Amino acid sequence: MLSWYYLKGIIMLAGIYLLPVLGLSLLTGFTGLFSFGHAGFMAIGGYTTAFMMMKLEVPFIPAILMGGLFAAFFSFIIGKLTLKLKGDYFCIATLGFGEAIRLLLDNIQYFGGARGWPGLPLKTTLITVIIIDIIAVILLRNIIRSRHGRNMIAVREEELASSIIGIDTFKYKMISLVISAFYAGVGGGLLGTYLGFLQPKIFSLTRSTELTIIVIFGGLGSLTGSVVGTILLIALPEILRSFANWRLVVYGVIVVFIMIARPEGLMGGKELSFDVLRNLFRKRVKEAKAEGGK
Amino acid sequence: MNILQVNGLTKQFGGLTAVNDVTFDVERGSITGLIGPNGAGKTTIFNLVTGVYKVTGGKIVFDGKEIQNEEAFKIANMGITRTFQNIRLFKRLTVYENVLTACQYNANYSLFEAMVFGLVPKKIKRNSRFYREEKLLKEQAEELMEILGLQDRRNFIANNLPYGFQRRLEIARALALRPKLLLLDEPAAGMNPEETEKLTELIAFIRDKFDLSVLLIEHHMDLVMEICDKIVVLNFGCKLAEGTPKEIQQNPEVQKAYLGGGNNA
Ligand SMILES: Nc1ncnc2c1ncn2[C@@H]1O[C@H](COP(=O)(O)OP(=O)(O)OP(=O)(O)O)[C@@H](O)[C@H]1O
Ligand SMILES: [Mg+2]
């Protein structure tokens, strides 16, 4: 049934997708900006990493970081052009950007065009994924719990009030976007070196949408929500594979059901931390004692 | 010396002139009232001074610097901040989070420092600028909540606070910036006489405690007449009169346009 090899594959896939989801969690969940182009940042990261390793013989980790940086650079340009504009320009720009990157890659024969780019070195291991995930979560947590994170949340809550208390809203949207694209880029780099090939259609609009769905499903403004959401929504369809044709239906039903039952997402803006667990536990113990005392 | 000088200030929205060639000063350390009937252009002046709207014409000089073309967040950091007529809190955050977010005064630690020192053993952390400044900011937030009597409700979600406390919280958030000039847009709106009385005391108190100058829009005449050193009266975007509370009360034009109009609620 569930062989270790199979399970390991699912864990790695979820671990890799966790990175763009975390990035998007910062951007959408904590800063309030919606992006439908994060698959595009993944693509840039993936192809940059592959290019660095295959053509320039750059080692694995630096190559992945370069992928992240290059994605971040693109996001910076998009941000410069659209983050000062009112309304939904940013969202539409990311959507257009994601599709443009995919079409561009479809036509760059140097990278294999639409047929894809096979034969990439299989460098991504379970340990690498787990270590990078842990670092990624810790860094994001540190940002969110600092004044910089508070500024992002303020922008999400009430932009006008933010600027009136001295927050450079443009700057904080930009920082959030660039970090988020960096995460997506690194995720793309890991994905290519895990699958052993890259193909533009992996990074479709559907993929971008899926990332946003995971963030909303987990709960906007909750990192633990994003983690749990990723594990459930990436792993679930794989585990449901034995249902063959029915699996996507079941998947859809589960997502819809949870969104109806908990419209604020699984975690609803709350974090699951050791503190929370400890407090819950203490409360239980106290209650139990009180009961016993009666 | 004057902390704020508004000179020939004009704002047009399409064909409508909401503020028309208005000139007045706010003296340092004073409480200046800005009154006038509904739609007179009072809030628009606040929006111009704080950089929320771009001016159509005229000059705004704050502390000797022209600010009419500055961005809102820069004006805030120079020392002008405000509250809003239709309260704008960070609605889904707690009282404490609202105040803490606004506490940025003198905090300089970078994003990078936050990323590195956020989750390391206390021994290492303790010597970091991140830790020192965060501690200071949290102390500032506590102090502000204490002064404005918000401690008991620190964990309330802002949106669930009683109305009067929402107004207080907005003032606390504004004070976190250590402003030199505080603009209050109808702080007593929706308050009963007793609450209004308390607010009057509070405004005078924070002016002294924080060494502020205050520009105040208010329809409650008792409050205005009691604490303002000077009053500027607007009508249809134009300045109608300016003077001490007594002068304003006796000014026949003001009485005709505003005070005697019967709708000075
Ligand atoms: N953003 C805007 N666009 C168009 N017109 C506006 C805008 N803001 C204000 N106005 C108009 O400018 C005029 C002055 O409005 P303002 O809000 O400054 O009045 P006010 O003196 O604060 O009145 P109130 O006592 O009712 O708050 C009004 O006629 C209003 O409709
Ligand atoms: Mg008004």
Side-chain angles (χ1 to χ4, degrees), chain A residues 55-122:
Chain A
K55 311 278 179 183
L56 303 182
E57 296 184 2
V58 175
F60 176 52
I61 295 292
I64 283 182
L65 291 178
M66 289 300 291
L69 285 177
F70 212 53
F73 171 72
F74 268 80
S75 76
F76 179 78
I77 293 174
I78 296 177
K80 265 269 181 240
L81 294 175
T82 59
L83 282 180
K84 279 226 163 128
L85 302 175
K86 284 262 176 300
D88 306 319
Y89 286 99
F90 171 75
C91 183
I92 293 167
T94 55
L95 196 151
F97 159 80
E99 285 301 272
I101 289 292
R102 190 175 60 79
L103 289 174
L104 206 66
L105 288 171
D106 262 344
N107 291 295
I108 300 181
Q109 296 311 322
Y110 184 75
F111 292 151
R115 274 174 293 112
W117 189 350
L120 305 183
L122 294 170

Side-chain angles (χ1 to χ4, degrees), chain B residues 13-14 16-19 36-45 47 53 85 185-186 217 219 234 237:
Chain B
F13 296 109
L16 176 91
T17 306
V19 176
N38 293 115
K42 305 177 297 291
T43 300
T44 305
I45 289 184
N47 283 327
Y53 292 161
Q85 185 171 352
D185 198 343
E186 302 198 19
I217 298 177
H219 286 296
L234 287 179

Side-chain angles (χ1 to χ4, degrees), chain B residues 202-250:
Chain B
L202 180 71
I203 294 172
F205 172 74
I206 57 175
R207 187 260 312 260
D208 299 336
K209 165 113 186 152
F210 292 89
D211 209 6
L212 285 174
S213 313
V214 177
L215 183 58
L216 171 78
I217 298 177
E218 193 43 75
H219 286 296
H220 282 70
M221 279 309 128
D222 305 346
L223 191 159
V224 175
M225 296 300 166
E226 187 179 335
I227 60 170
C228 289
D229 303 297
K230 187 179 84 176
I231 295 173
V232 176
V233 188
L234 287 179
N235 198 19
F236 296 114
C238 300
K239 186 170 89 176
L240 190 69
E242 179 176 352
T244 62
K246 215 176 205 162
E247 286 164 0
I248 295 301
Q249 270 169 324
Q250 289 163 355

